[in-house]
Amino acid sequence: MSPQLAGQIELLGQVLISGILLGGLYALIGLGMSLIMGVMKIINLAHGELMMVAMYMTYWAFTLWHVDPYVSLLIVCPLMFLLGVAIQKFLITPVMEAESILPQNQVLLTVGIGLVLANLALLLFTANYRSVPVSYASKTIYWDLKLGGQTISLSISYPFLTAFGIAVLLGAALFLFLGMTDLGRMIRATAQDKRAAALMGINTRKITYITFGIGAALVGAAGALLDPVYYLYPQIGGPFTNKAFVITILGGLGNIPGAVLGGLVLGLAESLGSVYVSLGYKDAFGFIIFVLVLIFLPRGLLGKGRAQ
Amino acid sequence: MNRKAIFAATGLALLAVFPLAVQNPYVLHLLIMTLLWVLLGQAWNLLGGFTGQISYGHAAFFGVGAYTTGILVKSGLSPAAAWSGLLLGGLMAALIASVIGWICFRLRGPYFSLSVLALAEVLRLVAVNWKQLTNGAEGILYIPAFRSKAHYYWIILAIAALAFVVIRAVMRSKLGFYFLSIREDQDAAESLGIDATKYKLYSLLISAFFTGAAGSFYMNYLGFIDPGIVFSIADISIMMILVTILGGAATLAGPIVGAVIYILVSEFFRVWFKSGHLIFFGILIIVIIIFFPAGIVGTIKERRAGRKLRRAGAARESAAA
Amino acid sequence: MTTRKLFALLALAAAIGLFVPALPAPAEAKAFTVGIPLPLTGAEAKFGEMEKQAYDMAVDEINAKGGVNGVKLALDIQDSGGKPETATAIVEKFITINKYPIVVGEYTSQCSYAVAGVCEKYNVPYLVVTGAADKITQQGWKNVFRLNPPASLYNLGVFSFFEQVARPKTIAILYENTDFGNSTSKAMKDYCDSHGVYVVLSEGYQAGAVDFKPILQKVKSLRPDIVYMVSYLMDASLLMRQSKELDINPQAFIGGGAGHTLPEFLQNAAEASEYCMSATLWTPQVKYPGAKEFFDNFKKKFNKEADYHGAEAYAAAYVLADTLKRSKAATSDDLRASLAGTDMMTAFGPVKFVSWGQFTNQNKMDTLVLQVVGKKYETVWPSTAASAKFVYPVPRWRERK
């Protein structure tokens, strides 16, 4: 095999690995929004800012008390759950139940919440970039393959791999939770038909609180996992909110395996697109796929989501 | 009715002669920005408030308008005047809107909103990457032609007033009723034989035209644009929504009130606190949506309507007693 | 409340709102105030803050020595948030309401460019301190003077390093898709194209990506001699860390300034920053008088390290003081003439405004190359200014300790 061909194979291999690992993290970010959108039909445009809050929590836990980000998952997720419940209970539910001309008031409300969160962080923590320099931040697993006389070296980032693994675990846990527990069934029932669920005796209001809480906890976990490999500043949320709704639509609302698949698709689209098409348009690929899926596959990639 | 018309005409006349009395560029600048946002608010309101199609991506049209003018002047096809490319900017924005509408109007509610947002972002990336056309991230700059702000003031006043007149006329026509019925219940409207997609498109075209014209004006007035500024989600798309809901969506006066408050608050915060206006806007959005979902003008109208009903009821009671 | 009452109230509020900020800020008695727009909030807030601190420190020093001709200097620093629209509004206010005869500052190229346009329109002199895009001083504007070198010349030090030491055959260029990234990388690309260095890849990226590995792997597969990057802080850190993870081994990694010269780059990129070179305008080791003292005093006072942005601001304050001293009166015309005649040495380097080629009123300076050696920034080129010997080619990642 020629070195050039080996180089191209190595490139493709590395790009695929990057796409998949990143996709897992994206999936975790999208899971929360998919759940929220599936149950409450509201787009949470503050999703990225919730992630930002969790990232700051993880940062401070690390900086002040040397808590490893993976350990702080145990603290951050419950805290984010409580924050999510509070936001839903005190801000969003009053709006959902009020009459208004504009059909989208809840969404606009989340815009306001996002603005407040981001700028509060800016006020409290300044615009300085922060990072969580754990010792294993750059730890890499090297995978050398021998093909046709050439060696192909693929590198897998350890923190990314861990994030991917935890994301998949959380996705699976969520799936099982929704499928097998009573609370999970109540959530799915509320998602399918709120009025019918209420008629069945389900406290749909409480379900919405819990759902938002879980969604916040999930994106909080994503934030904690992102801290070691990325960096942190108050306005970090926006692009991730965009990715979250792309993933949500790709997967179909409320469809957990769909959201995971959607995350992978987005990660791969970005990786492959940035190398083989154009680096500058990397972010556009996700959006274009998003619009195409919306039009041609309204039930999401797996065909199992809720159509509009 | 007549009182309102006289009031409006007087207001317009006062506004028109204002720069003859006050030459302070800073004051004129604030008024120009206010009028710009009145225009933007009204444009968004037509599609969002009156037709019920919430677009999170109106920056797409603003940016297209701004870049139309910018490219025209940059390539020397048009002089750097205050009116350069205004009409063309509006038309280009409407053209892009027809494409976006054709793609996105099959979708309803939040899906429509997000898809417009997605396409606006794609346009921004195009503006960043297509450097031969747009100068990419470097942006387009030229010195505004007029030193005195009065010319710019009159132009934006004229466009904003035109938008007001046009939108008012549209809402009073059959078209307006179709828009409202689509907003209230698209399926019911369609079952009555209203081609929802066609009318949503009309609404979008008018809305995009004025947004594009605003973008063109922005380019001419400020003399500098880049993709991050004119295609900005946070600064343009979201603020257009804020201005409208603050004043009151689906009212004609709403965007005016909203724009005035938006500019005043921004400037107030910038001068006295150096920053923090965004937190205030965030809180404002939350407060409005929870407590005054109809916006300022809308809430006033509701209260007056409520008072009228109560007075009518009391009159009936006293008459019956 | 009737609609009419509401409009009346709004009109009143508008009137108050418009005129209150329009009131000129109370000026100190016998102080010469200069208006300085800076991004104190927004994405560039970090640099805005550093420059503000540097300006303040310089002015404190100048005033402690009695000010300029007995008059104290005062600064009116306003936050533009990095938005050209706000910057122009601020400067318009400076000129038309505060009546400041001279404007200094701004950080980003866009804001500096926009401010320059405004000042030229009103015929008020403007000293550009950090905005690097070439075109700012290529418009023939007689009011615009620039202290810092233009972006295309940032790399002069690197170019001479190429010619005399590295002689690379191939180069890969990665740059942030911003004004600064575009200008600086274009200058490098133009140089390479005209000097026989083959550009294997030149791609702009959107700042803020989480994973650069795909494009970095593409760079790796092309095996360039030099990998040249123009990035701000966090992207620079990620790019270097991920380059290390992918085991990319060019002869050298060279940055185009900005992110690759900040102190935080060393912390964030950790071992991945070692041996990383960058074009730079200034380091604490340069032999200009006052450079080391500035760096040490800044560190003592603000507990952080200044980079070339801080040095620019510090020097700008001194240039301003010098201009004021030599000026007949504190009017725009006199200050412009006086500024044009500047010929002095500052902690940032020599300052003299000359015109050549398309540039007017531009300060011409050598630029340097720094390298991270032993976890510290050292000036390594040109050898006349070097504080340590350069390491080239840089050791392979897996061979480093």
Side-chain angles (χ1 to χ4, degrees), chain B residues 25-75:
Chain B
Y26 175 67
V27 173
L28 284 178
H29 171 74
L30 286 184
L31 279 172
I32 291 174
M33 294 310 290
T34 307
L35 287 169
L36 179 69
W37 280 95
V38 167
L39 178 60
L40 285 174
Q42 290 184 94
W44 190 89
N45 195 21
L46 181 64
L47 183 67
F50 288 121
T51 319
Q53 308 301 307
I54 309 292
S55 147
Y56 283 103
H58 255 58
F61 313 123
F62 187 78
V64 166
Y67 268 99
T68 305
T69 297
I71 294 170
L72 272 182
V73 175
K74 178 174 88 104
S75 57

Side-chain angles (χ1 to χ4, degrees), chain B residues 8-28:
Chain B
T10 324
L12 193 60
L14 280 175
L15 281 174
V17 300
F18 189 84
L20 298 175
V22 178
Q23 255 107 25
N24 186 318
Y26 175 67
V27 173
L28 284 178

Side-chain angles (χ1 to χ4, degrees), chain C residues 187-361:
Chain C
M188 175 57 80
K189 184 165 189 303
D190 289 343
Y191 172 86
C192 289
D193 286 341
S194 57
H195 284 79
V197 184
Y198 181 59
V199 179
V200 300
L201 174 153
S202 174
E203 299 235 26
Y205 63 84
Q206 287 292 107
V210 177
D211 190 12
F212 286 103
K213 283 200 182 151
I215 190 67
L216 284 174
Q217 182 68 33
K218 189 172 178 182
V219 166
K220 181 180 182 187
S221 70
L222 296 166
R223 297 169 199 273
D225 288 335
I226 303 278
V227 174
Y228 177 74
M229 299 178 264
V230 188
S231 317
Y232 280 114
L233 175 64
M234 291 330 248
D235 290 330
S237 308
L238 278 183
L239 280 167
M240 287 317 300
R241 275 170 39 187
Q242 292 176 2
S243 295
K244 172 171 182 279
E245 289 170 30
L246 286 178
D247 198 26
I248 304 180
N249 293 298
Q251 311 280 55
F253 289 95
I254 306 188
H260 291 265
T261 62
L262 285 175
E264 287 83 353
F265 174 63
L266 298 174
Q267 294 154 16
N268 288 317
E271 317 90 34
S273 67
E274 190 75 6
Y275 300 125
C276 201
M277 295 174 134
S278 175
T280 185
L281 303 182
W282 179 92
T283 61
Q285 297 103 7
V286 292
K287 305 210 183 355
Y288 301 126
K292 187 167 184 331
E293 290 81 5
F294 160 67
F295 182 78
D296 291 336
N297 289 338
F298 192 92
K299 187 149 188 206
K300 220 177 353 179
K301 189 163 179 186
F302 300 108
N303 200 24
K304 66 183 194 210
E305 297 187 354
D307 69 353
Y308 67 85
H309 302 101
E312 283 167 347
Y314 183 79
Y318 275 94
V319 168
L320 179 70
D322 174 75
T323 300
L324 196 57
K325 191 152 100 178
R326 286 179 293 107
S327 179
K328 273 186 290 186
T331 65
S332 289
D333 288 330
D334 289 323
L335 286 167
R336 186 188 318 111
S338 175
L339 190 54
T342 304
D343 189 355
M344 63 185 283
M345 178 58 77
T346 65
F348 178 65
V351 180
K352 183 175 169 163
F353 301 110
V354 291
S355 305
W356 80 93
Q358 275 191 301
F359 291 109
T360 55
N361 298 330

Side-chain angles (χ1 to χ4, degrees), chain A residues 110-162:
Chain A
T110 61
V111 171
I113 296 173
L115 268 180
V116 171
L117 285 175
N119 285 283
L120 207 54
L122 183 59
L123 208 64
L124 292 173
F125 305 130
T126 80
N128 280 340
Y129 295 116
R130 317 225 178 211
S131 57
V132 174
V134 292
S135 56
Y136 48 83
S138 275
K139 187 158 156 204
T140 317
I141 302 170
Y142 291 103
W143 192 22
D144 291 331
L145 298 166
K146 292 235 179 325
L147 275 176
Q150 300 281 340
T151 311
I152 301 199
S153 266
L154 297 173
S155 93
I156 302 177
S157 155
Y158 176 78
F160 256 108
L161 187 62
T162 319

Side-chain angles (χ1 to χ4, degrees), chain B residues 96-156:
Chain B
I96 299 281
S98 61
V99 174
I100 292 184
W102 178 78
I103 298 176
C104 299
F105 275 138
R106 315 150 190 250
L107 308 163
R108 304 266 198 109
Y111 307 101
F112 168 77
S113 309
L114 290 179
S115 58
V116 179
L117 174 57
L119 291 176
E121 277 291 282
V122 172
L123 277 176
R124 180 179 66 84
L125 288 170
V126 168
V128 168
N129 283 290
W130 195 353
K131 294 183 199 159
Q132 294 93 315
L133 186 68
T134 64
N135 264 358
E138 290 182 44
I140 301 181
L141 177 141
Y142 52 82
I143 309 241
F146 299 111
R147 207 213 209 234
S148 142
K149 294 204 185 289
H151 292 97
Y152 294 99
Y153 177 86
W154 282 317
I155 289 180
I156 190 67

